[in-house]
Amino acid sequence: MARRPIEPLLWLLFSAGGMLAALLIPILLVLFGLAFPLGWLSPPSHAHLVAVLGHPVVRVGLFLLCTLSLFHWAHRFRYTLYDGLQIKHLNELINPLCYGGAIVGSVAAGYLLWRIP
Amino acid sequence: MNQPPPYRAFHPRWYRPRMSTWWWLKRRSHVAFILRELSSIFVAWFVIFFLLLVAAVSRGEIAYWEFLSWAARPGTLLLNLVSLSFIVFHAVTWFNLTPQALVVRLRGRRVPGPLIAASNYAAWVLLSALVAWLVLGG
């Protein structure tokens, strides 16, 4: 498995995604997952959020965050199944599901971020 | 591998002990390892959650408020709380591990590990402040 030429690229995506996820997800999840729904902070107005999300730099940054986080998930989850459940014999099914899921999610992220007015 | 392989002269028998699926419960460091591995599921959940937010914002103001009230439901809140704890665990262990994966040399001397970890935490604080400032109205 280690000799496949694509493996180093997958590890690179894994670590880039791990870094971005560690740096950016906690604050975003605190704000949108807890602070706004629970009323600790008043949520930003719709117009303000459109302006922030629509900024080109923010769009590109969020696209990278989504894509690399998904590839981070794909790579790590594949090994979780491999080490945790010892189902290496299902690799031919697991690999397309993990990396395919990451690719589908990345396309969806690109479409949704591109579509913001 | 259901049937034993047919007997062949001079061929040693396979030695393949079965590992329990729960092998990682015996040691605390192994439990931490598996919990860290599981954090990736919550990273993926966050991406889905965030893209739902983006889609709602694109659809308009009413969809945005509907998203916020959906996020305030107990089930969603609980899932996000669990996700946050796993992702913070991922972040802390990731930052602490970076010095072992990344060797930085400055003027021929190796930058000490704690300094690399500290710079990660500094970047974490700065980026979090930047995101909060952008979201909360700059």
Side-chain angles (χ1 to χ4, degrees), chain A residues 6-82:
Chain A
I6 198 172
E7 201 71 7
L9 176 71
L10 294 176
W11 277 106
L12 192 69
L13 292 175
F14 163 76
S15 30
M19 198 60 178
L20 272 181
L23 287 172
L24 290 173
I25 292 183
I27 179 69
L28 286 170
L29 201 51
V30 164
L31 287 174
F32 289 101
L34 296 175
F36 298 146
L38 284 171
W40 297 342
L41 293 167
S42 58
S45 71
H46 179 254
H48 175 71
L49 218 49
V50 169
V52 170
L53 291 176
H55 192 281
V57 176
V58 175
R59 276 192 223 226
V60 172
L62 288 175
F63 178 69
L64 286 176
L65 173 67
C66 291
T67 309
L68 292 172
S69 293
L70 284 174
F71 275 96
H72 171 82
W73 162 77
H75 200 59
R76 190 170 239 181
F77 189 59
R78 181 186 131 204
Y79 279 100
T80 309
L81 295 176
Y82 169 70

Side-chain angles (χ1 to χ4, degrees), chain B residues 15 51 57-58 60 88 109:
Chain B
Y15 175 63
L51 288 177
V57 169
S58 293
V88 168
R109 241 185 277 165

Side-chain angles (χ1 to χ4, degrees), chain B residues 9-125:
Chain B
F10 311 116
H11 193 286
R13 263 189 0 155
W14 296 112
Y15 175 63
R16 281 182 185 167
R18 284 289 299 170
M19 279 277 272
S20 156
T21 304
W22 308 103
W23 59 269
W24 43 276
L25 279 176
K26 285 179 198 146
R27 276 179 64 175
R28 192 184 250 202
S29 57
H30 293 168
V31 175
F33 163 73
I34 290 289
L35 288 181
R36 212 165 59 229
E37 292 287 293
L38 288 178
S39 71
S40 73
I41 297 172
F42 298 98
V43 169
W45 158 248
F46 167 79
V47 174
I48 295 170
F49 177 76
F50 191 74
L51 288 177
L52 288 175
L53 168 71
V54 170
V57 169
S58 293
R59 276 207 307 277
E61 186 147 15
I62 297 167
Y64 170 54
W65 290 110
E66 277 171 0
F67 173 85
L68 285 179
S69 65
W70 169 75
R73 279 172 32 184
T76 323
L77 275 175
L78 185 69
L79 181 54
N80 279 333
L81 190 65
V82 173
S83 302
L84 181 66
S85 36
F86 268 95
I87 290 168
V88 168
F89 184 56
H90 158 72
V92 170
T93 50
W94 189 272
F95 294 148
N96 291 343
L97 213 76
T98 318
Q100 283 165 38
L102 188 76
V103 176
V104 182
R105 287 181 186 281
L106 215 65
R107 288 189 203 138
R109 241 185 277 165
R110 186 174 171 172
V111 177
L115 204 65
I116 295 178
S119 64
N120 280 334
Y121 282 102
W124 196 17
V125 171

Side-chain angles (χ1 to χ4, degrees), chain A residues 71-111:
Chain A
F71 275 96
H72 171 82
W73 162 77
H75 200 59
R76 190 170 239 181
F77 189 59
R78 181 186 131 204
Y79 279 100
T80 309
L81 295 176
Y82 169 70
D83 291 323
L85 296 177
Q86 301 173 49
I87 46 178
K88 195 188 175 187
H89 57 283
L90 293 180
N91 257 354
E92 285 174 7
L93 185 68
I94 290 169
N95 292 353
L97 278 181
C98 286
Y99 297 115
I103 290 169
V104 169
S106 302
V107 171
Y111 172 69

